[in-house]
Amino acid sequence: KAGVTQTPRYLIKTRGQQVTLSCSPISGHRSVSWYQQTPGQGLQFLFEYFSETQRNKGNFPGRFSGRQFSNSRSEMNVSTLELGDSALYLCASSSTTSGVYEQYFGPGTRLTVT
Amino acid sequence: QKEVEQNSGPLSVPEGAIASLNCTYSDRGSQSFFWYRQYSGKSPELIMFIYSNGDKEDGRFTAQLNKASQYVSLLIRDSQPSDSATYLCAVNSHSARQLTFGSGTQLTVLP
């Protein structure tokens, strides 16, 4: 099976702009989660989508939003970018076939805000 | 108190030795425990998970879980330089469809 794919891999934006990141989960996986990783805060949960519905949300401002499509592909959007939004954004595709909530990460999108 | 705590390291071990990585968690409702490996500049890679008390072995890796002590560890036997990475502990509670990560332990295996 192909793994989780994320596009673009690298992005440079200016403060105040908005950005959209895309994620395609592993085939057959219906849950997609998004995380932000920074050196100072580590891996922090943004939100989780399942069957086009947001099931869970972390403690991030409303500037961070997401959606999921019927084919399970997901996008996240960050509006009014701030310098502190510079981070590695990771998408994770989840399976519970083993009875355990296993998450597999994509390669990430490295966002730099200048 | 952080929900998932790990020693940040760095932890250095000689090639061929056993590397021991530790993790404690605060939520007694936690049910599944995961170890991820993250090479510099890469995304986390799932190594193994455990949900029952005791040991679980997979090749050179052994995960150990003690729910009473709220403690999970990862042992890497016959450590290789290619094992040099940051190891992330993650916890999933029954009620939350999300993983809570520790800050990671940086491991260096010296040739």
Side-chain angles (χ1 to χ4, degrees):
Chain A
K1 277 187 182 179
V4 180
T5 59
Q6 291 186 246
T7 57
R9 293 292 310 279
Y10 302 92
L11 208 48
I12 298 175
K13 289 287 188 178
T14 303
R15 192 170 47 183
Q17 289 185 314
Q18 76 165 17
V19 66
T20 299
L21 311 181
S22 181
C23 170
S24 292
I26 293 170
S27 178
H29 288 191
R30 295 166 62 190
S31 169
V32 172
S33 299
W34 289 89
Y35 292 85
Q36 181 196 66
Q37 187 175 35
T38 60
Q41 298 298 318
L43 261 166
Q44 292 188 288
F45 173 75
L46 281 156
F47 28 67
E48 187 238 3
Y49 285 87
F50 180 86
S51 292
E52 302 178 65
T53 301
Q54 186 183 91
R55 291 199 301 191
N56 210 356
K57 189 177 189 303
N59 294 323
F60 277 81
R63 300 186 297 108
F64 293 82
S65 63
R67 59 177 175 168
Q68 187 180 34
F69 303 95
S70 58
N71 61 357
S72 295
R73 189 178 70 85
S74 177
E75 289 181 346
M76 70 162 281
N77 183 276
V78 188
S79 62
T80 319
L81 284 166
E82 300 177 359
L83 295 178
D85 296 333
S86 295
L88 179 65
Y89 289 89
L90 292 160
C91 166
S93 166
S94 304
S95 165
T96 56
T97 54
S98 65
V100 171
Y101 189 67
E102 300 176 48
Q103 286 198 338
Y104 298 90
F105 285 91
T109 294
R110 174 76 61 185
L111 172 64
T112 301
V113 181
T114 62
Chain B
Q1 180 189 6
K2 288 185 180 178
E3 295 181 49
V4 181
E5 294 209 40
Q6 298 181 252
N7 289 330
S8 60
L11 173 66
S12 295
V13 299
E15 184 174 355
I18 296 175
S20 178
L21 305 162
N22 305 315
C23 172
T24 58
Y25 59 94
S26 60
D27 182 2
R28 285 196 172 273
S30 300
Q31 296 202 326
S32 307
F33 307 86
F34 304 81
W35 284 101
Y36 286 83
R37 175 176 62 198
Q38 186 172 26
Y39 292 113
S40 180
K42 302 294 186 182
S43 63
E45 173 193 6
L46 180 62
I47 299 173
M48 63 190 304
F49 61 83
I50 186 169
Y51 53 86
S52 299
N53 275 328
D55 295 0
K56 179 182 179 182
E57 187 174 315
D58 184 359
R60 296 187 295 112
F61 298 97
T62 299
Q64 299 175 316
L65 175 62
N66 184 325
K67 288 187 177 181
S69 300
Q70 295 176 250
Y71 176 91
V72 59
S73 65
L74 179 70
L75 301 179
I76 306 175
R77 291 183 301 280
D78 188 23
S79 295
Q80 302 296 310
S82 59
D83 294 326
S84 298
T86 296
Y87 288 80
L88 297 163
C89 171
V91 172
N92 173 231
S93 68
H94 178 70
S95 60
R97 294 180 208 85
Q98 68 182 75
L99 297 184
T100 301
F101 284 83
S103 57
T105 298
Q106 185 180 344
L107 171 67
T108 300
V109 180
L110 304 169

